[in-house]
Amino acid sequence: MAPPIATAKIALTYPIYASDFDPNSNGLLLVGGGGGESRSGVGNKITLIDTTRKQTISEVIDIDLSRDEDSVMSLAVTQSTDSSAIAFAGINSSTADQKAGKNEHLRSFKLQYPPRRKAGSDSVENTGAETGSSNSTTALGRVSLFTPSTAATKEAYQRILRLSPANTDSHYRLGAVATSLEPDGEIVLFDAGQKEPTSQDVRRRIRLEKGQEAGDVDIIAIEREEYLVAYCTDYEVYITRVASSKETAQAEPILVCGTPHPDAFASSKARPKFRSLRFLQPNLLLLLRNKVNRGGAELIVLELPSSRSLGTVVLCKSLHKAIKAATALSVCRLPASVLSENVQNVIGVAGQDNSITILTQDHPQQKPIPSLKFRTHTVLRDVHTNLITSLTFASFRSPAEPAAASPQYIKLASTSIEHTVVVHTLPLTPYPPPSRNRNSTRYVLTPPGRSEATQITFSVLISALMIALGAFFLQAFTEIRGGTPEYLGAKGWLNERVHGWIARPYMFDEAAQSVQVPRFVTQASEAARSEATDTVESIEKGVDSIKIPGVDDLRVPGVEPDPAEGFKSAAAEVVGNVGDKVTQVKDAVQDAGEAAKNTFEQATENVSDKAEKAQRRLGLRNLLAQRSASRAEGSVSSEDFPSDIIVQHDENSKSISADVRDASIVIGDAHKRWEDLEAHERETWKRRLIDAGEWAVEEGEAVLKGVFFQNIALAVGAAVGHGLG
């Protein structure tokens, strides 16, 4: 988590357009603006603000300017000491002077600092100042550096004023001013080391193409007496070398980046526009570009070429979506005491939503440039209530011994058209953290992250873990839904209630294993078996009831057998009686057999009918599983799967039935195969099958091919006809 950022705010009496810190002190901020040449009652002013304290800021010097001239549109502090400072300001002359061809747009002032006071307990450094007045300020000079305007309406003004970074070894600084609202844009480079610049101090003029103007300019020293200047128009970025001496030949600007034209057939011809730029180091340029139609803003790091060629984009980052367009850019360089150490740049971007995004970016001080990365430190939201007009970082000089120094800070100031100035104090951290074995070599706002190799290794491991977890859960899900054989035993992880809801058997198993016999079929089979058993038992009892006659049964009552003749006649009569008994037994056995046969045939017929009806009512999903199992063994034949599947819908009960019938019965208008259905008919049947639980979208439509479905149009017509009848 980022350390807390202290915020101080002050409201002035005029709209503010420009700001700059004292290059030698982060406790003094110069701001300027005003109401312009008008009678609105809002004056034009320059104000020096004491930003020493973290929680409160106050006015030190208030400079009243003429109300007959324009407001302060650009501002910079060029030189400073402990007691005074020299400042340049962009202020247009009066309208009358401009019409007369005289516009002294560059002004210089000397500000005499009030006596210093001791800093309070919450001060950043021991540099406070007591409140003074405009009597502490002296107007040094005014000059016109631009080529006189040839436009009929004199609306041009000095929108941009930029100076090269301050150098403790020399007072020389190269300055740049650029026009705005001028038909022929111009950039003028001049010697900013002079307290009162004149036209003799101009080092170079850069004329832009007709209709173009500079969006921003930045300067960096590359040698003791040579500078690299970068500027951008709406769609192009240029660099050029400029020497401090007038006698040195100047090279032409080099195009290093451009926004290509859209395709000739594109509906919109709009292109992203460059808004601002800053040097990170001599071979790295930071660009701020707004996307088309307020679609956002992006930061681009451009590696500059060593020859006359286009630069290389090494890093690009889109800012958060709340920023539809960026309005200001500022960069603070946090140097390192060792050349081999990286340098961290702190980047501030203001958006149209009145937010400020603070990012950091580390890079080596020498080539080659490795892969770079932006790190978002924080986003300060609703800093002002209206448009942010300027954004300025105070320069930072690292103490000689970071480990023994007091806590260090950098300050970020922003101004608004709503008269407000806000200063944020950002705490810095020594890096590497001091210890017994090593000392810190630099200060950073955001500690650098892991090395690139470590980051890549960590990302690969996390990706592999996520893939493994995804495969594991996918395998478990497909097992539960019956898509694969059971390897993990995922079905056993579910309780009985959940198992009944979502678990399905393996869909490619044998048909006998995949289709469970319905309960009523089992009940019919048991009833038939019980009835047959009862019939057999009754036959056995009938046979047992037949009594075989004995000797006593052969004797005829009242007749005494004659030993010779009478016994023969009696025997014949008895034999006749026995024959009658045997005939009766034979008839009984035959009758019982026929009854048993009829009972078995009836039971078998009932079981067959019930089994056939049960098979037809097994449901579409199970019938499809049988068909799939038959196809898995080879081709579908009449022995494996003899009938087609027919699906019908009952409009009254809103239920779906799936039957197995001979294909010759259904061929006609009453039913259609799945592949012959119209698109809307398929959608209707899909919805019905999903509602009935007979089909799911993930199973695909291929499983339904060859299945006959009830003709929806005929079914609706029949229902309407029945209703009319």
Side-chain angles (χ1 to χ4, degrees):
M1 182 178 177
I5 298 176
T7 303
K9 184 175 183 178
I10 189 173
L12 303 180
T13 59
Y14 57 92
I16 306 166
Y17 300 111
S19 61
D20 192 25
F21 275 99
D22 184 324
N24 295 317
S25 173
N26 64 3
L28 294 172
L29 173 68
L30 198 65
V31 300
E37 185 182 359
S38 66
R39 304 302 177 186
S40 62
V42 179
N44 303 315
K45 292 186 177 183
I46 295 177
T47 304
L48 183 66
I49 299 176
D50 180 8
T51 61
T52 302
R53 300 178 182 272
K54 292 186 291 184
Q55 302 296 339
T56 58
I57 56 179
S58 58
E59 297 181 45
V60 177
I61 297 176
D62 197 22
I63 306 172
D64 288 317
L65 303 175
S66 172
R67 297 193 180 189
D68 295 330
E69 295 182 325
D70 202 358
S71 59
V72 179
M73 302 306 297
S74 54
L75 190 65
V77 180
T78 177
Q79 303 175 24
S80 69
T81 63
D82 291 340
S83 58
S84 64
I86 304 297
F88 293 157
I91 305 173
N92 268 10
S93 297
S94 64
T95 303
D97 290 344
Q98 292 184 57
K99 289 181 178 180
K102 180 182 179 182
N103 183 13
E104 297 172 325
H105 54 85
L106 181 62
R107 314 292 177 90
S108 59
F109 301 89
K110 181 177 181 180
L111 288 76
Q112 195 71 36
Y113 291 159
R116 299 299 176 105
R117 58 170 172 78
K118 292 185 178 181
S121 59
D122 64 341
S123 62
V124 177
E125 60 183 86
N126 195 18
T127 57
E130 296 179 356
T131 304
S133 65
S134 59
N135 295 330
S136 305
T137 304
T138 304
L140 297 179
R142 55 176 64 192
V143 65
S144 176
L145 299 182
F146 294 138
T147 302
S149 175
T150 58
T153 304
K154 310 299 183 182
E155 296 179 342
Y157 69 98
Q158 177 187 311
R159 187 174 69 87
I160 296 174
L161 170 60
R162 188 83 66 233
L163 306 180
S164 63
N167 190 344
T168 55
D169 298 333
S170 172
H171 287 295
Y172 184 87
R173 299 179 73 178
L174 183 67
V177 291
T179 60
S180 182
L181 299 181
E182 177 69 22
D184 300 322
E186 183 181 24
I187 301 173
V188 179
L189 305 172
F190 66 99
D191 181 1
Q194 304 295 326
K195 296 181 179 180
E196 301 179 40
T198 65
S199 58
Q200 300 299 319
D201 296 315
V202 173
R203 294 293 177 262
R204 184 166 180 191
R205 297 180 183 273
I206 301 175
R207 302 291 297 183
L208 306 181
E209 294 183 8
K210 190 173 184 63
Q212 291 186 349
E213 66 177 51
D216 200 5
V217 181
D218 199 26
I219 308 170
I220 192 171
I222 53 177
E223 294 179 6
R224 183 175 180 82
E225 295 185 352
E226 191 172 12
Y227 296 85
L228 192 62
V229 178
Y231 65 91
C232 65
T233 60
D234 285 345
Y235 308 115
E236 296 171 336
V237 179
Y238 295 87
I239 60 171
T240 185
R241 288 174 176 263
V242 178
S244 59
S245 173
K246 294 179 63 176
E247 290 76 16
T248 304
Q250 309 291 349
E252 290 297 319
I254 301 173
L255 174 67
V256 294
C257 185
T259 303
H261 288 275
D263 187 84
F265 300 100
S267 58
S268 175
K269 303 301 181 183
R271 292 186 284 169
K273 293 184 178 182
F274 293 107
R275 179 65 180 84
S276 189
L277 56 79
R278 290 291 184 274
F279 277 106
L280 301 180
Q281 62 183 31
N283 65 324
L284 288 179
L285 189 62
L286 178 67
L287 308 175
L288 175 61
R289 184 166 67 178
N290 288 326
K291 299 180 181 179
V292 176
N293 298 327
R294 297 177 66 85
E298 58 185 354
L299 288 171
I300 300 171
V301 176
L302 186 72
E303 185 176 6
L304 299 178
S306 56
S307 59
R308 298 181 66 88
S309 61
L310 293 175
T312 303
V313 175
V314 295
L315 182 61
C316 184
K317 177 182 176 60
S318 294
L319 301 178
H320 60 88
K321 296 181 180 179
I323 295 182
K324 304 302 180 183
T327 60
L329 171 70
S330 185
V331 175
C332 178
R333 179 183 173 91
L334 302 179
S337 58
V338 180
L339 190 61
S340 59
E341 287 285 346
N342 286 354
V343 171
Q344 183 169 100
N345 291 293
V346 183
I347 303 165
V349 181
Q352 99 298 333
D353 61 339
N354 304 324
S355 68
I356 298 176
T357 303
I358 300 176
L359 309 96
T360 59
Q361 186 269 319
D362 293 79
H363 62 81
Q365 302 182 66
Q366 298 176 327
K367 292 184 178 180
I369 302 299
S371 58
L372 305 178
K373 181 180 180 181
F374 286 114
R375 296 167 63 89
T376 301
H377 179 72
T378 188
V379 177
L380 306 172
R381 303 187 184 277
D382 300 323
V383 179
H384 296 271
T385 58
N386 209 325
L387 182 66
I388 297 176
T389 53
S390 70
L391 195 65
T392 308
F393 273 112
S395 58
F396 175 76
R397 289 185 173 87
S398 180
E401 297 182 4
S406 59
Q408 298 295 303
Y409 304 86
I410 57 174
K411 290 183 176 293
L412 174 64
S414 59
T415 63
S416 169
I417 200 171
E418 282 287 347
H419 309 179
T420 53
V421 179
V422 177
V423 177
H424 294 92
T425 303
L426 310 176
L428 301 179
T429 303
Y431 185 83
S435 64
R436 294 181 179 179
N437 300 326
R438 62 179 181 179
N439 294 324
S440 302
T441 58
R442 60 180 175 133
Y443 280 90
V444 295
L445 179 64
T446 303
R450 307 181 187 91
S451 66
E452 184 178 3
T454 304
Q455 184 68 32
I456 292 175
T457 303
F458 179 77
S459 300
V460 170
L461 291 177
I462 292 297
S463 300
L465 178 61
M466 296 302 295
I467 293 173
L469 288 175
F472 174 80
F473 286 115
L474 181 61
Q475 174 65 25
F477 177 77
T478 52
E479 283 188 18
I480 292 172
R481 298 296 294 175
T484 60
E486 292 194 39
Y487 297 107
L488 303 177
K491 292 181 180 178
W493 304 342
L494 308 174
N495 59 41
E496 295 182 0
R497 187 175 183 182
V498 177
H499 184 280
W501 284 347
I502 65 174
R504 296 288 184 274
Y506 177 40
M507 64 176 61
F508 300 109
D509 203 351
E510 296 295 334
Q513 299 176 1
S514 63
V515 179
Q516 298 181 358
V517 179
R519 186 175 181 181
F520 65 87
V521 176
T522 306
Q523 292 176 349
S525 178
E526 293 293 338
R529 185 183 295 109
S530 177
E531 186 176 355
T533 302
D534 294 341
T535 304
V536 172
E537 290 179 354
S538 63
I539 293 173
E540 292 177 350
K541 290 179 180 180
V543 173
D544 293 340
S545 65
I546 300 175
K547 183 179 180 181
I548 304 298
V551 178
D552 293 336
D553 294 330
L554 297 177
R555 187 181 301 274
V556 178
V559 179
E560 292 293 333
D562 187 275
E565 301 292 336
F567 185 80
K568 292 181 180 180
S569 60
E573 186 176 355
V574 169
V575 170
N577 293 335
V578 171
D580 293 339
K581 293 290 186 180
V582 172
T583 301
Q584 293 177 3
V585 170
K586 182 179 179 181
D587 293 341
V589 171
Q590 185 177 1
D591 293 340
E594 291 180 356
K597 180 180 179 181
N598 293 335
T599 302
F600 274 110
E601 289 178 353
Q602 184 66 33
T604 303
E605 184 178 356
N606 292 339
V607 171
S608 299
D609 292 341
K610 293 180 180 180
E612 183 180 357
K613 293 179 180 179
Q615 183 183 23
R616 293 177 180 178
R617 291 194 297 268
L618 283 178
L620 178 61
R621 187 181 295 277
N622 289 330
L623 294 177
L624 291 175
Q626 288 185 4
R627 188 176 70 173
S628 299
S630 299
R631 289 177 176 175
E633 295 176 359
S635 61
V636 178
S637 64
S638 59
E639 296 179 356
D640 296 329
F641 202 80
S643 302
D644 289 314
I645 301 173
I646 304 169
V647 180
Q648 300 188 93
H649 180 257
D650 189 345
E651 293 293 341
N652 296 326
S653 61
K654 303 299 182 182
S655 61
I656 288 179
S657 62
D659 295 337
V660 178
R661 297 179 183 173
D662 187 75
S664 62
I665 298 176
V666 301
I667 293 177
D669 295 335
H671 297 82
K672 289 184 180 180
R673 291 184 184 271
W674 175 260
E675 50 268 31
D676 297 332
L677 293 176
E678 300 294 338
H680 69 278
E681 292 178 322
R682 291 188 183 184
E683 293 301 322
T684 301
W685 275 110
K686 284 181 186 178
R687 185 169 59 255
R688 291 174 177 175
L689 293 176
I690 292 173
D691 294 341
E694 295 292 349
W695 180 78
V697 176
E698 58 267 19
E699 298 180 36
E701 297 184 23
V703 299
L704 301 177
K705 289 185 178 180
V707 178
F708 285 91
F709 287 85
Q710 181 182 4
N711 192 322
I712 295 177
L714 292 180
V716 173
V720 172
H722 178 73
L724 294 176

